[in-house]
Amino acid sequence: MDIVMELTSWIRSKSIVCAVIFSVITVLWWFHYKWNRRDINRFAAKLKGPPSYPIIGSGLEFIGTSQQVIENLIKLGDKYGPEPFKIWMGTSFSIFIINPEDLQIILNSSKALQKGSFYKFLKNLIGEGLLSAPVDKWRVHRRLISPVFNANLLNQFLPVFHQKNKVLIEKLSKEIDKTQPFDLWEYIGPTTLDTICQNMMGYNLETQLSDKFEFFDTILKASELDVMRIFKPWLHPNIIFTIYRKLTGLQNIYKTLNKLPNKVIKEKKEIYIQRKITSKTNGLDDSTYGDIKKPSKGFLDTLLELNEVGANLTDIEVRDEVVTMMSAGSDTSAVTICFCLLLLAIQPDIQDKVYDEIYSIMGDGDESITIEDTNKLVYLEQVIKETLRLFPVAPMFLRVLQDDVKIVSCPDVVPKGTTCILAPLYTHHIPELYPNPWSFKPENFNPENVEKRHKYSFIPFSSGPRNCLGSKYAMLSMKIMISTFLQNFSVYTDTKISDIKFKLDLLMRSANGYPVTIRRRDRRPTYKRN
């Protein structure tokens, strides 16, 4: 009995000692943590923003669906903007940057090239491609990939644009004169995915001709899952996120997501190797192809070729860039085209004006549109830009400061370690820049109106060194698809702009789709082709 009591006493004393040691270590760690973050905490205390609580930060603002999250974000901008305001995502401090002058400083600063730490949550989705790569990797990959998007190569993409848009028009024909609305996304999304796969990967995916969109559907689910994780601090720990995926039946989503890119890369590698063997057998190189047409090099061909000359990209790095290109490259264009056609259906007077411009350039024939034709579509470009202003598909970009940075709107420097949330969603709706900012007014992009505004008041493709590499490709693809669509169909809807609600994943989308009806276009013999 005495032995038991002594043992119990000894265990109790040891437990007390361990508890004291743990408490001391915890207190020391807390003081160390607070000391290291003293500049951030001092700066944060001077900014307005939503309430913050221990551990979860401002996470209570983002409870709910992706639609509720984006609605709350819009309310925060209305309440606290356009001046910088703070938000705590868990224990991570962030500041919203809205004013164009501040955006210009951050987007062009060498101290703000690093993407925010929350991009680690997108690693399962897009890996470390150009969109999310750390600065050192981004510098290398950007230099390697940039040549793919030069003006000469854009010309080579035209036949694929024409081919895929022809399929689109044929598929849409079954919707002519129906009274029940259909969702534009069901047609536009597969078309942009097929187009970019053919142009950039040299791979004929044929999503348009299939009823199964596994990659397409999976990337939407994975995007929403990963982005929602950013706004819900309780899902930040990997173990909790893994459990959450199992509970929601999404535990295999990333494996499914990578099936198609892995297949594309495998097949292209085999073709690339066979092409090298054929070239060597026939004595052909870059300068001697004789009567054989040398195949154009797309994005994936370029990556494989660069590896042959010492780029040393791993299979995972190649896959990350392919997934980034397939997802971001197709989705951004598809969402914008759907929004644009929906807006033109809402405002038929603007639709008529766009069609008149197209007719004045293309006439009523079936000639394929050229690069020169797209350059003449000035009003259509204004319409597309106004769509991107009103509904920026990438509503926010994140950058983490590697050193202190001074911006115009804050008397103090923004301290090192701060995550800057650069928000086109807010900037594009500043009333002083865009009167009645939730109205659809293409004249916002008349040359005289553009001249009045700060250059960084419109940043749909980001800006600065880490801007979107494919912005010219995107604008070209959108002009061609929208003009082809309107040459063949007039579009109608009962939806109003005020009816449009958003949901947020990697991009900002319409929560209720893009419901329209179409009729065969009566081509007007009013103008002659220029």
Side-chain angles (χ1 to χ4, degrees), residues 472-487:
K472 290 183 179 179
Y473 175 93
M475 185 59 75
L476 178 64
S477 70
M478 290 188 287
K479 279 187 174 183
I480 291 175
M481 188 178 294
I482 293 170
S483 61
T484 303
F485 184 103
L486 293 176
Q487 273 188 298

Side-chain angles (χ1 to χ4, degrees), residues 404-417:
D404 297 348
V405 174
K406 182 71 177 69
I407 61 175
V408 175
S409 300
C410 286
D412 300 334
V413 297
V414 184
K416 175 183 177 180

Side-chain angles (χ1 to χ4, degrees), residues 169-363:
I169 299 306
E170 291 171 356
K171 297 286 285 185
L172 280 166
S173 295
K174 68 181 183 182
E175 302 287 353
I176 293 175
D177 294 331
K178 289 186 178 179
T179 55
Q180 187 68 27
F182 68 93
D183 189 351
L184 280 165
W185 179 259
E186 296 175 5
Y187 295 91
I188 303 299
T191 303
T192 58
L193 180 59
D194 278 4
T195 302
I196 202 159
C197 280
Q198 185 80 54
N199 273 331
M200 295 297 174
M201 315 301 166
Y203 189 88
N204 194 8
L205 188 59
E206 295 189 332
T207 310
Q208 291 172 283
L209 304 177
S210 172
D211 293 328
K212 297 179 180 178
F213 309 134
E214 185 180 55
F215 176 80
F216 206 64
D217 295 337
T218 301
I219 203 160
L220 292 178
K221 292 176 183 176
S223 297
E224 184 169 342
L225 180 66
D226 282 346
V227 172
M228 284 303 97
R229 187 183 180 190
I230 293 174
F231 293 103
K232 300 182 186 300
W234 47 92
L235 293 180
H236 288 183
N238 288 332
I239 186 169
I240 295 178
F241 184 60
T242 301
I243 294 171
Y244 175 79
R245 280 167 44 211
K246 288 182 179 179
L247 291 174
T248 54
L250 296 171
Q251 63 268 32
N252 295 320
I253 192 166
Y254 300 115
K255 189 182 296 183
T256 304
L257 178 66
N258 287 322
K259 276 169 52 179
L260 177 60
N262 287 337
K263 179 184 177 184
V264 171
I265 293 168
K266 181 176 181 291
E267 292 185 15
K268 287 299 293 183
K269 275 187 174 180
E270 292 171 356
I271 294 171
Y272 180 77
I273 292 170
Q274 186 58 46
R275 184 184 296 168
K276 281 186 62 182
I277 294 172
T278 303
S279 297
K280 188 174 181 180
T281 302
N282 294 333
L284 299 173
D285 57 27
D286 281 349
S287 59
T288 120
Y289 261 75
D291 294 331
I292 301 175
K293 182 180 178 182
K294 181 184 174 182
S296 60
K297 289 185 291 188
F299 173 77
L300 184 50
D301 286 320
T302 299
L303 293 183
L304 297 176
E305 185 175 280
L306 287 168
N307 259 1
E308 288 290 316
V309 295
N312 296 321
L313 298 173
T314 67
D315 288 346
I316 292 176
E317 287 175 329
V318 172
R319 188 197 67 198
D320 289 349
E321 296 297 354
V322 167
V323 173
T324 298
M325 186 65 66
M326 290 174 70
S327 57
S330 64
D331 258 13
T332 51
S333 296
V335 172
T336 303
I337 290 168
C338 287
F339 269 131
C340 185
L341 290 172
L342 181 61
L343 287 167
L344 292 176
I346 292 171
Q347 293 194 217
D349 55 327
I350 296 178
Q351 181 182 164
D352 288 344
K353 190 173 179 180
V354 172
Y355 174 73
D356 286 346
E357 180 183 66
I358 295 168
Y359 189 91
S360 72
I361 295 166
M362 298 298 298

Side-chain angles (χ1 to χ4, degrees), residues 374-426:
T374 63
N375 291 334
K376 297 174 185 175
L377 294 171
V378 176
Y379 186 67
L380 175 57
E381 183 167 325
Q382 291 177 14
V383 166
I384 293 172
K385 286 182 175 180
E386 175 67 356
T387 303
L388 286 165
R389 180 200 68 80
L390 199 57
F391 308 133
V393 287
M396 297 173 188
F397 320 117
L398 274 62
R399 301 288 178 83
V400 59
L401 299 186
Q402 303 302 295
D403 205 341
D404 297 348
V405 174
K406 182 71 177 69
I407 61 175
V408 175
S409 300
C410 286
D412 300 334
V413 297
V414 184
K416 175 183 177 180
T418 298
T419 296
C420 294
I421 305 177
L422 316 171
L425 177 63
Y426 298 151

